């Protein structure tokens, strides 16, 4: 694969990975929103059921209080009866966690099991709950039936109070009222709307939860699919990046550092088909720089050799000029010595001929002696001059070498 192709694949996979991650984020947000909606539906169901149970419990508490009062005549139960009504109507503060067991724990000492909270009317709490109008109408019907039953319960309590002064007849009548068929029918009239509310709430919330569960399940499948596709695109991007780089990042960084420091010892090896990668470019650069370095060293060696030859030529030229100068300097004393020696030789031959012929005159001999005394010093001086020049030339030659 060529580098431009690998680069286009890398950019394409990066874009695809970004889009997939964006889709995963959106899907995950929708999934969490569905889960929150399920939790909210469950909490709302529990809250609505607590309100319905509180309405049922208050009705049972009122029944228990009125029956205890009618049987015992203890004014504490009448007081608690009224307090149950006042709490339900929002006239006094509600105890904390009132939907749980409360009045069953209030005994003769009238000690309360939990502290009080804020006042709230039960019908207002039911309206604030996320219930339909039909469901609210069922709870409100149960509340109205319970309020209607309170009037019958108050009649029983009045009869019980009258029994204190008029005998047991009114007491028995009060007991009969709160245990009569009419009373049981009135209680059933309270419980039936609560039961219908529970059924309607269960059906609605189950459908709502099931719908959100189906949505969450579908989103979960999409999340899994998107995660798999993201992993594939990331793997493809890593493969394309490897094709672009041609080697590991550590190897590339190492060789770039070597190039920066002018080190070309370890050549970067590139697998077949990756010649157009970054590693391939670095390998070609290393090869080219190595060739340039070898050529530079060769040229430097040739330059040093040429420089040595030039210096040798200059030295020989200087030596030649020196020899020419010395020869010129030697020419004069040697010429004088040769001239004087030639003249002395001619005079000596002439004297020898005269002696042989017997014609030697004293004056001639004296002239010869005078010529010898003049010529020999001249020859000696000229030869010494030539010897000094030769010695100086010899020293200079030694220095030059």
């Amino acid at each position: 694969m060529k580098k431009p192709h690998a680069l286009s694949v890398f950019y394409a996979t990066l874009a695809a990975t970004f889009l997939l991650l964006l889709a995963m984020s959106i899907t995950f947000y929708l999934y969490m929103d569905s889960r929150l909606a399920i939790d909210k539906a469950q909490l709302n169901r529990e809250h609505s059921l607590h309100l319905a149970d509180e309405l049922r419990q208050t009705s049972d508490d009122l029944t228990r209080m009125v029956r205890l009062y009618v049987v015992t005549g203890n004014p504490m139960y009448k007081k608690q009866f009224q307090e149950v009504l006042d709490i339900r109507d929002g006239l006094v503060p509600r105890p904390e966690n009132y939907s749980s067991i409360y009045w069953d724990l209030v005994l003769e000492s009238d000690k309360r099991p939990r502290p009080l909270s804020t006042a709230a009317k039960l019908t207002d709490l039911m309206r604030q709950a996320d219930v339909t109008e039909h469901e609210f109408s069922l709870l409100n019907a149960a509340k109205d039936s319970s309020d209607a039953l309170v009037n019958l319960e108050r009649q029983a309590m009045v009869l019980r109070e009258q029994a204190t002064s008029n005998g047991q007849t009114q007491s028995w009548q009060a007991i009969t009222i709160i245990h009569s068929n009419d009373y049981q029918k009135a209680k059933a009239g309270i419980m039936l709307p609560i039961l219908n509310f529970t059924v309607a709430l269960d059906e609605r919330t189950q459908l709502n939860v099931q719908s959100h569960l189906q949505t969450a399940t579908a989103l979960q499948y999409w999340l899994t699919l998107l995660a798999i596709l993201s992993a594939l695109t990331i793997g493809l991007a890593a493969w394309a990046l490897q094709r672009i780089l041609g080697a590991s990042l550590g190897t590339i960084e190492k060789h770039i550092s070597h190039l920066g420091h002018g080190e070309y010892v370890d050549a970067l090896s590139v697998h077949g088909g990756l010649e157009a990668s970054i590693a391939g470019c670095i390998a070609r650069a290393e090869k080219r720089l190595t060739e340039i370095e070898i050529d530079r060293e060769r040229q430097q060696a040739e330059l040093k050799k040429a420089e040595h030859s030039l210096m040798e030529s200059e030295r020989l030229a200087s030596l030649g000029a020196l020899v020419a100068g010395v020869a010129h300097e030697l020419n004069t004393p040697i010429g004088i010595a040769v001239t004087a020696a030639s003249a002395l030789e001619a005079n000596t031959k002439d004297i020898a001929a005269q002696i042989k012929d017997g014609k030697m005159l004293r004056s001639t001999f004296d002239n010869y002696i005078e010529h010898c005394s003049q010529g020999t010093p001249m020859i000696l001086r000229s030869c010494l001059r030539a010897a000094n020049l030769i010695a100086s030339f010899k020293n200079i030659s030694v220095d030059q070498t």
Side-chain angles (χ1 to χ4, degrees), residues 86-238:
D86 292 341
I87 291 174
R88 192 168 71 178
D89 293 336
L91 300 177
V92 296
R94 297 166 58 86
E96 293 180 356
N97 195 19
Y98 188 53
S99 59
S100 181
I101 298 174
Y102 182 78
W103 290 109
D104 291 324
L105 302 177
V106 180
L107 304 177
E108 290 290 337
S109 61
D110 203 23
K111 183 179 180 180
R112 305 307 168 90
R114 289 186 293 276
L116 299 178
S117 180
T118 57
K121 195 174 182 180
L122 182 59
T123 53
D124 293 338
L125 294 176
M126 291 188 299
R127 189 171 294 277
Q128 292 171 5
D130 190 13
V131 296
T132 64
E133 287 296 328
H134 173 65
E135 293 167 353
F136 176 76
S137 65
L138 291 174
L139 287 178
N140 199 38
K143 167 70 168 52
D144 293 340
S145 298
S146 179
D147 290 340
L149 184 59
V150 167
N151 295 327
L152 185 61
E153 291 167 340
R154 289 187 186 278
Q155 294 177 11
M157 287 190 290
V158 169
L159 290 174
R160 180 62 181 82
E161 291 171 354
Q162 292 175 355
T164 305
S165 56
N166 299 330
Q168 297 298 321
T169 303
Q170 286 80 0
S171 177
W172 181 252
Q173 290 177 351
I175 294 173
T176 301
I177 289 175
I178 58 177
H179 290 85
S180 63
N181 288 332
D182 292 338
Y183 188 88
Q184 297 301 327
K185 290 180 180 178
K187 287 287 290 185
I190 299 172
M191 300 305 165
L192 184 59
I194 294 177
L195 176 61
N196 293 334
F197 167 80
T198 303
V199 173
L201 180 66
D202 277 337
E203 291 177 354
R204 180 177 63 84
T205 54
Q206 284 296 336
L207 290 175
N208 192 16
V209 170
Q210 188 65 29
S211 174
H212 287 301
L213 279 175
Q214 291 176 354
T215 303
T217 302
L219 291 172
Q220 191 173 7
Y221 289 149
W222 276 107
L223 274 175
T224 305
L225 178 61
L226 291 173
I228 294 173
L229 292 176
S230 297
L232 291 176
T233 55
I234 290 173
L236 184 59

Side-chain angles (χ1 to χ4, degrees), residues 275-288:
E275 292 80 5
S277 64
I278 294 176
C281 294
I282 293 175
R284 290 194 299 273
E286 288 180 339
K287 181 179 179 181
R288 178 58 181 160

Side-chain angles (χ1 to χ4, degrees), residues 7 56 77-78 115 144 156 180 198 226 277 289 292 305 320 340 373:
L7 191 61
R56 180 197 61 78
Y77 298 118
K78 182 180 180 181
D144 293 340
S180 63
T198 303
L226 291 173
S277 64
L289 289 174
I292 292 173
K305 183 177 179 181
S373 62

